[in-house]
Amino acid sequence: MQEQTYTGQRILESALHLFSTRGYVGATTREIAKNAGIAEVTLFRHFESKEKLFESVLNTYSFLPALKGLLPQVADKPYEEAMLTIATRFYEKLTHRKEMIKLIQAEVQRYPEKLLSIHKTFVDELRQTLAGYFKDLQKKKILADFDPEIGAMAFLGMCFSYFNSQEILMHKKHTQKTKEETLSGFVKIFVRGTAV
Amino acid sequence: MQEQTYTGQRILESALHLFSTRGYVGATTREIAKNAGIAEVTLFRHFESKEKLFESVLNTYSFLPALKGLLPQVADKPYEEAMLTIATRFYEKLTHRKEMIKLIQAEVQRYPEKLLSIHKTFVDELRQTLAGYFKDLQKKKILADFDPEIGAMAFLGMCFSYFNSQEILMHKKHTQKTKEETLSGFVKIFVRGTAV
DNA sequence: GCATTTTGTAAGCGCTTACTTACATATTAA
DNA sequence: TTAATATGTAAGTAAGCGCTTACAAAATGC
């Protein structure tokens, strides 16, 4: 891949921000350049076209999943405590990737193959990692008998939806419960269930 | 509200479709008209401007929440069976509103107040309805002690996330488990938990 | 059968967009 | 100190967009 200069890097950062907030069409090359603090003609010296810039943004900011590295850290923790740590870290990772997630949701139909590939790689890694963790605990008879894949989907799903409503749909302005209370409540329900 | 003619109705349907797949900026009035099978000049005879058309689309296709009407139907069912019915109906309602949901996700930053209001009204109604149901069952000592609001968020969240990945991010092309298996698995986990 | 309403066709305006060319200036490297 | 490289300024092109005007044609209503 082309080595990025300082100017090129600023262009990419500006582009990610504007592509994710305005969409591909709504983000003009004029505005991307201005936001990056350069002349528009300079943008076209670094990137052949707007479309190539968009592709570079996707390549540069694709997900770097890291839940795998987290599991050894919670291996010796009690199950419920471990799940809370995983939920909190997952939320933090999503928050760091907020702009890329917004970009994928907004433009998934403009570049379906690429964006779905990025997203799927990310989701599959998460799901498989968490499902593997559940399988291990089931072998140790710590967990009940349920489909680990579905369990992973359920858990990540409720956390992602909460992240989505708080950070992307900005409901956090109207929320009374803290993130900690909410994630803790999710974990409690996931671990203990809701029936008597 | 202005009474919609047949032509006006087709324009609105075409606009919803193109606004949700291409975004507000990416959906041109030329294409909206063509897709509706009319001349572009006719579009401007029915709607003062592109922006007024967009607003009419929001007003016309705002959510019509209907989970409330469902609860009496499941009141006498066993808890787990009732939850599966609720999950299935919720998924169906989301599927019917797929384009509006896509529109909200894509354009929430262009029209934050309006779109967030629509979405929040929808989500609040769902959450409150489901939380009320949980409270009733808790009073009857059928459910454990947990925050009904957080329970509602967790349940709706995992269902929505699954819907989002299947129907909007189109992962269903790569999915082996059926929707029924997945929702059933979600409900089982939600009701019984995952710990032994 | 005629009047009214609705829509189509055609042309166009003013503006914006992505992108290019040419020359000047600033910065960096030799 | 000079050469090379990177960027800025200015002007411009071609295409497309939202929207309008004028007239013709089709559909509807009385």
Side-chain angles (χ1 to χ4, degrees), chain A residues 21-127:
Chain A
T21 55
R22 308 284 180 82
Y24 178 82
V25 179
T28 65
T29 49
R30 191 158 308 171
E31 256 189 291
I32 291 171
K34 188 178 178 185
N35 190 58
I38 62 164
E40 185 180 8
V41 64
T42 298
L43 188 153
F44 288 99
R45 285 176 179 139
H46 287 264
F47 299 91
E48 200 176 313
S49 66
K50 184 179 184 182
E51 188 163 352
K52 297 291 190 189
L53 170 59
F54 187 79
E55 288 170 10
S56 289
V57 166
L58 298 190
N59 290 336
T60 305
Y61 294 105
S62 286
F63 283 115
L64 292 172
L67 197 63
K68 246 176 189 141
L70 173 63
L71 288 194
Q73 298 178 32
V74 301
D76 293 329
K77 285 185 171 184
Y79 175 50
E80 189 159 336
E81 189 181 332
M83 293 309 294
L84 182 55
T85 302
I86 290 171
T88 305
R89 285 305 167 82
F90 179 47
Y91 193 99
E92 282 163 11
K93 294 219 179 296
L94 291 174
T95 303
H96 287 139
R97 294 295 178 175
K98 180 174 169 179
E99 291 196 314
M100 194 62 183
I101 293 167
K102 276 156 64 179
L103 177 59
I104 290 177
Q105 282 183 327
E107 299 295 343
V108 64
Q109 295 181 78
R110 188 177 307 275
Y111 294 86
E113 285 184 30
K114 179 70 173 178
L115 291 178
L116 287 180
S117 171
I118 292 172
H119 189 270
K120 196 175 182 318
T121 300
F122 176 65
V123 166
D124 281 358
E125 193 270 355
L126 280 171
R127 188 151 68 226

